[in-house]
Amino acid sequence: MTDARTRRTAPMPPPMGLEAEMRADPKKQENFARLADDSYFGQVVAANQAYLRAAVPHLAATERDHWALSCLPGTNGGRRLSTVSMKRMEVFALLRPEEPEDDAAVHGFMVVRESVLHRYARSGQGVEELNPHLTFDRSRPYQDAGDDQVRIWGWYDEMIAALAEEPFAVAARELAASLLPGVTNNARHHNYQLADQVLGRAASTGQAV
């Protein structure tokens, strides 16, 4: 009879079906290898971890079909490093600097519920005054998010710091909650190799560690 210790340490089964097919896709493997060799790789992983952990409560259960993480998508003139998509919209995207320098960093944006940020604002100070290092874009480019949305731009470490604070984490989570019940039309662009790194999984199985 197999005891509990053996069950815990037994190897997980390999991925099956569509996941296995997507993992074996040469283009997806190539894109991940290129990003993994990039000096910005660690920043991309850390920022995506911060966003997904703040915004999505059940990551494994909703992966690919309800949220998708692309790797080196061909947008923004090839400067896009990764994008998290839900339904028909981008909710978190990272770009390489236009003019890379030794101290250059990844920057990008996240889309959150603006009303949530207003709830946390202090008396006499708006959310922008409290966070002058971030840029707030209220152009509302995404139909799926409705009128209550704001796109926030910042350097990767500034967004990580913001997502560690309750107002931004709740604002990201409430927007995601309205999108995750739907299926994303970007599921085919999901990159399991990058998701393995972001979610801290064993790459050989795709299972949580």
Side-chain angles (χ1 to χ4, degrees):
M1 180 176 180
T2 304
D3 63 22
R5 288 176 300 174
T6 303
R7 288 197 299 272
R8 283 199 299 270
T9 58
M12 300 298 292
M16 302 292 289
L18 182 56
E19 178 182 343
E21 180 180 331
M22 293 176 70
R23 285 181 176 278
D25 186 308
K27 183 61 176 178
K28 293 182 184 297
Q29 292 180 351
E30 177 188 348
N31 282 356
F32 175 72
R34 286 171 53 205
L35 182 60
D37 286 339
D38 197 297
S39 60
Y40 299 121
F41 180 63
Q43 297 177 15
V44 171
V45 171
N48 277 295
Q49 283 177 341
Y51 173 78
L52 287 169
R53 289 174 179 173
V56 183
H58 304 293
L59 286 164
T62 53
E63 182 182 3
R64 188 191 69 205
D65 293 330
H66 301 275
W67 65 265
L69 174 61
S70 64
C71 178
L72 298 182
T75 49
N76 295 98
R79 290 177 50 230
R80 188 72 67 90
L81 294 165
S82 69
T83 303
V84 177
S85 301
M86 297 177 188
K87 290 188 74 173
R88 296 169 297 175
M89 66 176 281
E90 305 163 327
V91 291
F92 189 76
L94 298 171
L95 298 85
R96 67 175 68 250
E98 290 188 45
E99 298 181 3
E101 300 174 357
D102 290 342
D103 59 348
V106 169
H107 70 286
F109 67 83
M110 57 184 170
V111 185
V112 303
R113 287 289 184 220
E114 185 174 17
S115 62
V116 173
L117 297 181
H118 288 318
R119 292 204 306 261
Y120 283 91
R122 299 171 189 166
S123 177
Q125 284 186 298
V127 65
E128 292 186 47
E129 289 76 18
L130 291 170
N131 299 276
H133 53 292
L134 299 172
T135 300
F136 294 76
D137 174 7
R138 294 180 171 84
S139 59
R140 292 176 173 79
Y142 301 107
Q143 183 177 357
D144 284 340
D147 291 333
D148 184 8
Q149 64 174 289
V150 60
R151 183 164 52 174
I152 301 173
W153 288 84
W155 299 109
Y156 87 100
D157 53 344
E158 294 171 343
M159 290 194 290
I160 290 174
L163 288 163
E165 298 177 5
E166 185 176 351
F168 290 94
V170 175
R173 189 159 57 248
E174 288 200 9
L175 180 71
S178 70
L179 302 173
L180 286 169
V183 175
T184 178
N185 65 350
N186 284 290
R188 66 188 183 281
H189 299 305
H190 185 62
N191 188 287
Y192 276 102
Q193 286 83 356
L194 180 55
D196 287 338
Q197 298 295 315
V198 171
L199 302 184
R201 295 189 300 214
S204 60
T205 65
Q207 300 295 327
V209 175

